[in-house]
């Protein structure tokens, strides 16, 4: 097990390093920040001053060297836009994103497993048809539209929830609900098909023949075997949220990392782009490790191979 | 499953224990204001940027001089009076008994400090780069309440320029930005939570009349429909700019000019646009009125020049181009007969998000031009690429082009437009016309009526004689003002919102 985690970590670190190098050089191909931060009629002198201040006057490989040295000291440079350390800007936004993911994913997984399993129990039955239809709608409706409709219905018409912002737990209800919709839709479908396969296997037939209760068959025997693809897809969805729930953040004015990243790309705030990519990549890397361990726990074949 | 149950229980308990959203509605003398975007820094030297100015300008930090947009003039604020003692020297008498929020007195030394801090090349303060760029200016404290400004060349509009310089306490660090603005204004800065809000509250030691509003919270929502909904539900009192399609309630949604003007800049050196008949045809082919009420707000005004009516130097006598496709066709035919290559493709350059529906606008405009015989290639560029096309030095082999621009002049003086857009040395100028250069230089040295007259003549000459470009619209914004407040927005609100001018109708 230890060896397994060690190998996986090494692989992930390698891809992390590659990712950072790519982001560093690709970002710099997109043009000079001086054009965006200085007024249109700025003089050449002002542009030189600006480039000097942020080190953009050096050749790119010198900038990269400085970046690597800084990275080893946990210094990711200064945000042009916020005039403070990029790490600080990113770490201020990241907890909100993590919190969104941490609340959303358990709800998604619980709802999807219960609904998907029940639907798989009698494929083609009434519950299965309704569940499939709703999950399909959930998986395919655009987030931003649902978000705005949610605001209009629950905040403006019914006046039971706040429109947006943070402050009280009530503020989290609409964003979380919107955020849950698509992953739940997708995951219900995955649980359902995976369960149908598991329920038609020989050991389930044996269990039935032995007179084991249906509930026990579904939730104890079949579910455990059907869980692997569910974990894979769920981790993918979780990584998606950790990378920033841009639409939810934008519509509801949530100070998360997705919007921060997009704004930084548009404003060529290189240090923040790099820091944000690094932090989210690390988080995804941790999710992957956790998923790998979960695989090993659920499936003895992985554990012992 | 147990852990999950615990979490669920915890969450629902937290929900039930927290106050219902109805309690979040605004009450009393506190207001919440919704901005379209959040600030990145709250430095006094960045107040000309609307995202910062709308929060702190004249609320937290004040200026020596204030602009009166309606009268195109300057009025005293922290300075009581001023006089020009020589072409390059101005003497300002400061208000006495004024204190900064940190308790230090406002005096001549703090004015000198603020100017020096703002002009420090270590910072890219917009007050310096946009307004004081190229102005060689020094300030000297004569005594506690008198400052003398000296410029290298005559600066007849120094008071207008000083309306942009926010005065900050000498405790504001030099050479680095601050996130804690300390000024003399009626409101004291309280807090800024990144990504969430900025709070300010009434300053009891204010030199002027105490404002009615005790505290203000600024939040930001990019999504216009959510900003509008916040005011409708009473979560906020005022939303700065909501999209035309969300401005559905005439009782609360008020229109105001935002000092932006849109135009097509024409590459007047490159065939076929180097022919005045072709440029006239370009202007005649665009049905500007058809856009009002469709993709552009019906409250926008047709433009004849790059500055709006509230700017000194605006020429009110110019008449907007009519829509006359027949005459446009005739002019093109005439040019063609004279050997002008009118079939040459013209690159129309737009930028998504320049203004609401700007993509739809360029597409429709391109169709109108094609209808009279122009060959148009449409290019929508991202900001940095657009800037490369817009700014000098221009690419050596560029094609004939019509560049959509949106210019913002809220400084009150045409100088900040004329040089930049039309002088041979202007960074975005397509012109190199000796008469234009002379007019702009002379206007820059003149003051008062003479100055206005010279700029008016500049704009007339460019519009009527040169037909240098295709002016389009003076744009507007929609502000949603909650029922609790009594307030009518003006052009000043493009860059500031003085809380002292807000009136709460029925304090509960």
């Amino acid at each position: 097990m230890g060896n397994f985690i060690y190998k996986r970590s090494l692989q992930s670190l390698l891809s992390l390093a590659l990712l950072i190098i790519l982001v560093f050089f690709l970002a710099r191909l997109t043009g000079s920040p001086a054009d965006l931060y200085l007024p249109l009629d700025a003089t050449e002198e002002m542009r030189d001053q600006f480039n000097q201040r942020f080190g953009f006057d050096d050749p790119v490989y010198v900038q990269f060297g400085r970046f690597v040295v800084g990275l080893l000291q946990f210094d990711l440079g200064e945000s042009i836009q916020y005039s403070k350390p990029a790490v600080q800007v990113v770490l201020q936004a990241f907890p909100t994103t993590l919190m969104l993911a941490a609340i959303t994913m358990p709800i998604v997984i619980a709802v999807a497993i219960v609904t998907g399993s029940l639907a798989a129990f009698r494929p083609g039955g009434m519950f299965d048809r309704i569940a499939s239809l709703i999950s399909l709608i959930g998986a395919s409706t655009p987030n931003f539209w649902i978000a705005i409709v949610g605001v209009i219905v629950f905040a403006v018409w019914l006046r039971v929830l706040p429109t947006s912002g943070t402050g009280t737990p009530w503020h989290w209800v609409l964003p979380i609900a919107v955020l849950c919709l698509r992953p739940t839709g997708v995951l219900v479908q995955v649980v359902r098909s995976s369960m149908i396969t598991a329920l038609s296997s020989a050991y389930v037939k044996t269990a039935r023949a032995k007179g084991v209760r249906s509930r026990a068959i579904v939730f104890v025997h079949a579910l455990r075997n059907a869980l692997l693809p569910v974990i894979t897809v769920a981790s993918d969805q979780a990584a998606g949220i950790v990378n920033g729930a841009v639409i939810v953040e934008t519509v509801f004015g949530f100070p998360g990392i997705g919007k921060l990243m997009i704004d930084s790309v548009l404003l060529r705030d290189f240090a923040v782009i790099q820091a944000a990519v690094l932090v989210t990549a690390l988080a995804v890397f941790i999710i992957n490790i956790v998923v790998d361990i979960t695989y090993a726990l659920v499936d003895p074949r992985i554990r012992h191979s | 499953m147990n852990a999950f149950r615990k979490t669920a229980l915890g969450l629902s308990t937290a929900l039930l224990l927290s106050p219902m959203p109805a309690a979040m509605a605004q009450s009393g003398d506190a207001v919440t204001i919704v901005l379209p975007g959040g600030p990145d820094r709250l430095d006094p030297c960045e107040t000309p940027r609307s995202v910062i100015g709308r929060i702190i300008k004249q609320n937290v930090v004040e200026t020596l001089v204030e602009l009166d947009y309606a009268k195109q003039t300057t009025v005293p604020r922290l300075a009581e009076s001023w006089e020009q003692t020589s072409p390059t020297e101005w003497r300002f008498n400061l208000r006495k008994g004024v204190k900064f929020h940190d308790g230090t007195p406002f005096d001549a030394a703090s004015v000198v400090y603020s100017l020096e801090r703002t002009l420090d090349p270590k910072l890219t303060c917009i007050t310096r780069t946009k307004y004081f760029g190229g102005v060689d200016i020094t300030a000297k404290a004569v005594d506690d309440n008198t400052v003398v400004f000296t410029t290298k060349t005559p600066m007849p509009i120094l008071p207008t320029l000083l309306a942009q310089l926010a005065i900050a306490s000498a405790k504001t660090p030099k050479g680095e930005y601050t996130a804690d603005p300390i000024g003399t204004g009626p409101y004291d800065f309280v807090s800024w939570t990144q990504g969430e809000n900025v709070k300010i509250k009434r300053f009891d030691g204010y030199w002027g009349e105490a404002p009615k509003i005790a505290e203000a919270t600024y939040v930001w929502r990019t999504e216009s429909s959510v900003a509008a909904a916040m005011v409708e539900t009473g979560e906020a009192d005022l939303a700065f700019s909501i999209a035309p399609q969300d401005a559905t309630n005439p009782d609360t949604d008020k229109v105001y000019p935002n000092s932006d003007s849109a135009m097509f800049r024409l590459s007047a050196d490159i065939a076929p646009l180097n022919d005045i008949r072709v440029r006239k045809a370009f202007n005649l082919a665009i049905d500007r009125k058809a856009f009002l009420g469709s993709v552009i707000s019906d409250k926008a005004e047709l433009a004849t020049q790059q500055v709006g009516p509230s700017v000194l130097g605006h020429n009110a006598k110019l008449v907007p181009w009519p829509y006359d496709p027949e005459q446009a066709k005739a002019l093109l035919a005439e040019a063609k007969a004279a050997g002008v290559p009118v079939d040459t493709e013209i690159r129309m350059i737009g930028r998504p998000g320049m203004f609401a529906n700007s993509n739809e606008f360029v597409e429709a405009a391109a169709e109108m031009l094609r209808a009279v015989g122009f060959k148009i290639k449409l290019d929508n560029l991202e900001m940095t690429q657009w800037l490369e096309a817009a700014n000098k030095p221009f690419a050596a082999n560029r094609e004939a082009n019509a560049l959509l621009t949106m210019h913002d002049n809220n400084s009150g003086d045409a100088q900040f437009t004329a040089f930049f857009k039309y002088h041979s040395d202007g960074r975005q100028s397509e012109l190199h016309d000796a008469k234009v250069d002379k007019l702009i230089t002379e206007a820059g040295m003149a003051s008062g009526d003479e100055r206005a007259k010279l700029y008016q003549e500049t704009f007339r000459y460019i519009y009527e004689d040169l037909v240098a470009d295709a002016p389009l619209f003076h744009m507007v914004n929609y502000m949603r003002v909650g029922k609790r407040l009594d307030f009518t927005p003006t052009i000043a609100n493009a860059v500031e919102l003085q809380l002292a001018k807000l009136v709460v109708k029925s304090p509960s």
Side-chain angles (χ1 to χ4, degrees):
Chain A
M1 188 81 171
N3 193 32
F4 168 74
I5 292 175
Y6 171 73
K7 260 197 236 161
R8 289 286 289 153
S9 308
L10 216 60
Q11 280 172 353
S12 305
L13 273 178
L14 199 69
S15 30
L16 194 66
L18 259 169
L19 176 73
I20 297 216
I21 295 171
L22 264 180
V23 168
F24 184 91
F25 288 101
L26 286 181
R28 275 160 181 75
L29 286 180
T30 57
S32 158
D35 288 331
L36 295 167
Y37 288 90
L38 296 179
L40 295 171
D41 48 350
T43 61
E44 214 39 55
E45 193 195 347
M46 287 181 200
R47 300 163 67 81
D48 290 345
Q49 282 163 1
F50 178 89
N51 285 331
Q52 227 169 1
R53 177 177 151 86
F54 292 99
F56 298 141
D57 53 341
D58 291 324
V60 182
Y61 63 86
V62 175
Q63 293 182 40
F64 184 69
R66 201 163 39 221
F67 169 67
V68 171
V69 171
L71 193 60
L72 297 174
Q73 300 160 343
F74 296 104
D75 173 9
L76 291 172
E78 189 196 348
S79 159
I80 310 175
Q81 201 195 347
Y82 291 95
S83 323
K84 52 182 171 182
V87 178
Q88 205 182 322
V89 175
V90 170
L91 290 186
Q92 242 160 5
F94 201 49
T96 307
T97 301
L98 274 186
M99 188 78 173
L100 278 176
I103 301 176
T104 305
M105 283 324 288
I107 297 177
V108 168
I109 292 171
V111 171
I113 286 180
V114 172
T115 317
S117 303
L118 292 179
F121 193 59
R122 273 199 196 86
M126 189 56 114
F127 184 83
D128 179 35
R129 276 195 236 165
I130 294 174
S132 293
L133 183 74
I134 293 178
S135 65
L136 213 62
I137 293 174
S140 48
T141 315
N143 256 350
F144 67 90
W145 184 78
I146 285 286
I148 291 173
V149 169
V151 170
I152 293 173
V153 173
F154 293 100
V156 180
W157 291 354
L158 301 176
R159 306 268 162 127
V160 291
L161 290 171
T163 57
S164 55
T166 50
T168 69
W170 292 104
H171 286 95
W172 290 72
V173 175
L174 267 180
I176 299 262
V178 172
L179 215 49
C180 281
L181 218 58
R182 187 195 297 253
T184 309
V186 174
L187 213 55
V188 165
Q189 303 277 332
V190 175
V191 173
R192 177 184 174 273
S193 64
S194 180
M195 279 298 277
I196 288 176
T197 315
L199 285 172
S200 57
S201 59
Y203 65 84
V204 169
K205 282 182 190 145
T206 311
R208 275 198 214 279
K210 282 168 73 182
V212 180
R213 274 166 50 205
S214 295
R215 228 172 101 180
I217 293 176
V218 173
F219 287 108
V220 178
H221 299 280
L223 187 60
R224 196 159 169 182
N225 285 288
L227 224 46
L228 282 188
V230 177
I231 295 171
T232 312
V233 176
S235 73
D236 213 38
Q237 304 281 1
I241 301 179
V242 167
N243 264 316
V246 180
I247 286 166
V248 164
E249 288 171 22
T250 306
V251 172
F252 294 104
F254 254 64
I257 204 159
K259 192 160 183 313
L260 181 72
M261 265 204 258
I262 293 211
D263 289 347
S264 309
V265 170
L266 289 177
L267 285 164
R268 306 292 189 271
D269 200 346
F270 298 145
V272 176
I273 302 176
Q274 282 148 207
V277 168
L278 186 70
V279 168
T280 50
L282 271 175
V284 171
F285 162 69
I286 291 168
I287 291 179
N288 283 340
I289 299 261
V290 170
V291 166
D292 283 338
I293 296 171
T294 320
Y295 276 150
L297 289 178
V298 173
D299 191 342
R301 285 169 303 181
I302 297 177
R303 195 163 47 210
H304 297 305
S305 68
Chain B
M1 225 39 184
N2 217 356
F4 172 71
R5 259 185 213 156
K6 262 188 201 159
T7 321
L9 192 71
L11 276 177
S12 43
T13 319
L15 266 180
L16 289 173
L17 287 179
S18 66
M20 281 296 284
M24 274 173 292
Q26 295 298 306
S27 62
D29 47 7
V31 292
T32 297
I33 288 161
V34 194
L35 301 163
D40 40 25
R41 50 179 74 125
L42 285 172
D43 200 289
C45 76
E46 297 264 89
T47 47
R49 287 172 55 202
S50 62
V51 61
I52 295 162
R54 281 166 169 177
I55 300 175
I56 63 172
K57 192 173 181 189
Q58 313 300 19
N59 290 331
V60 178
V61 289
E62 297 176 290
T63 50
L64 295 179
V65 175
E66 203 181 334
L67 291 179
D68 182 337
Y69 288 91
K71 294 188 185 128
Q72 289 187 356
T73 181
T74 45
V75 291
R77 183 102 188 188
L78 283 177
E80 272 178 333
S81 62
W82 52 87
E83 56 176 335
Q84 190 169 17
T85 45
S86 89
T88 57
E89 220 177 69
W90 288 77
R91 193 183 179 87
F92 277 72
N93 303 311
L94 308 181
R95 194 174 289 283
K96 293 180 190 105
V98 176
K99 277 204 170 357
F100 285 105
H101 302 148
D102 61 5
T104 55
F106 159 77
D107 54 16
S110 55
V111 174
V112 175
Y113 182 82
S114 288
L115 182 73
E116 283 172 357
R117 178 177 184 275
T118 304
L119 299 187
D120 187 348
K122 274 202 203 122
L123 303 182
T124 46
C125 295
I126 192 142
T127 306
R128 169 175 73 97
T129 55
K130 190 172 177 185
Y131 293 104
F132 287 87
V135 183
D136 203 330
I137 182 171
T138 50
K140 209 181 133 208
V142 177
D143 56 47
D144 272 0
N145 300 303
T146 316
V147 181
V148 169
F149 292 94
T150 313
T151 55
K152 209 166 186 183
T153 49
M155 180 48 68
I157 54 157
L158 190 73
T160 306
L161 214 53
L162 287 177
Q164 305 293 343
L165 178 75
I167 306 299
S169 156
K171 289 196 180 148
T172 314
K174 223 176 203 170
E176 58 184 280
Y177 291 109
T178 180
D180 179 13
I182 308 168
T184 54
Y187 291 88
D188 194 355
F189 170 75
V190 177
S191 66
W192 171 23
T193 315
Q194 183 191 317
E196 288 185 42
N197 60 43
V198 172
K199 292 185 177 189
I200 62 178
K201 69 166 196 310
R202 189 161 52 203
F203 171 53
D204 290 330
Y206 184 54
W207 58 268
E209 195 187 329
K212 301 272 185 303
I213 308 276
E215 29 179 295
T217 304
Y218 295 84
V219 298
W220 37 93
R221 299 288 179 268
T222 330
E223 179 53 48
S224 151
S225 57
V226 174
M230 286 185 77
V231 178
E232 186 175 346
T233 59
E235 278 174 48
D237 297 288
L238 188 151
F240 253 102
S241 68
I242 59 174
Q245 62 265 28
D246 294 319
T248 47
N249 183 350
D251 290 343
T252 55
D253 304 340
K254 299 171 183 180
V255 79
Y256 65 105
N258 61 10
S259 77
D260 282 335
S261 304
M263 79 161 175
F264 279 119
R265 186 190 71 181
L266 305 177
S267 56
D269 271 348
I270 305 170
L273 288 169
N274 58 354
D275 189 277
I276 191 167
R277 287 164 294 198
V278 177
R279 297 199 297 274
K280 278 184 181 166
F282 190 100
N283 271 294
L284 289 163
I286 300 174
D287 187 357
R288 293 169 174 80
K289 272 191 189 146
F291 288 107
L292 301 184
S294 50
V295 297
I296 308 277
S297 161
D298 58 345
K299 301 293 191 308
E301 274 181 55
L302 298 191
T304 55
Q305 55 209 300
Q306 279 301 287
V307 294
S310 67
V311 173
L312 184 117
H314 174 264
N315 189 334
K317 290 191 190 119
L318 303 181
V319 184
W321 282 96
Y323 170 56
D324 191 342
E326 291 316 311
Q327 206 197 331
K329 281 181 197 162
L331 280 164
L332 278 183
E334 200 186 313
K336 192 174 184 179
V340 178
V342 296
D343 297 332
T344 311
E345 196 171 62
I346 295 171
R347 184 180 181 215
M348 180 179 277
I349 305 171
R351 172 158 60 79
M354 186 182 284
F355 46 84
N357 305 327
S358 69
N359 280 2
E360 288 77 0
F361 169 76
V362 281
E363 272 165 33
E367 259 336 291
M368 289 171 178
L369 289 159
R370 287 180 190 127
V372 301
F374 278 99
K375 265 190 92 178
I376 302 286
K377 181 179 81 170
L378 191 56
D379 259 343
N380 268 315
L381 303 181
E382 196 243 11
M383 187 64 161
T384 39
Q385 293 169 301
W386 181 90
L387 283 171
E388 265 171 41
N391 286 345
K392 282 179 184 170
F394 296 133
N397 299 318
R398 63 189 185 127
E399 57 274 77
N401 68 77
L403 178 100
L404 183 67
T405 68
M406 176 116 111
H407 177 66
D408 167 22
N409 186 335
N410 51 45
S411 68
D413 192 273
Q415 174 173 323
F416 305 100
T417 299
F419 186 88
F420 171 54
K421 289 276 181 189
Y422 296 115
H423 191 278
S424 302
D425 296 331
R427 187 125 197 262
Q428 273 189 13
S429 168
E430 289 273 5
L431 294 183
H432 34 79
D433 185 286
K435 185 172 172 190
V436 172
D437 289 358
K438 188 162 171 274
L439 275 169
I440 292 174
T441 311
E442 278 171 10
M445 312 277 251
S447 56
D449 287 348
E450 178 63 13
R451 186 181 184 86
K453 247 186 227 157
L454 283 165
Y455 278 126
Q456 283 163 4
E457 171 56 15
T458 311
F459 289 127
R460 189 208 61 76
Y461 178 67
I462 290 167
Y463 183 66
E464 287 182 348
D465 296 359
L466 294 181
V467 194
D469 40 35
L472 298 165
F473 313 103
H474 297 304
M475 305 300 232
V476 291
N477 273 0
Y478 288 88
M479 180 185 279
R480 177 167 282 190
V481 182
K483 297 208 168 81
R484 223 160 59 86
L485 292 184
D486 193 1
F487 181 68
T488 307
T490 67
I491 191 164
N493 299 121
V495 280
E496 63 177 49
L497 173 71
Q498 299 198 20
L499 292 174
K501 292 185 180 170
L502 292 184
V503 178
V504 178
K505 273 192 250 173
S506 53
S508 51

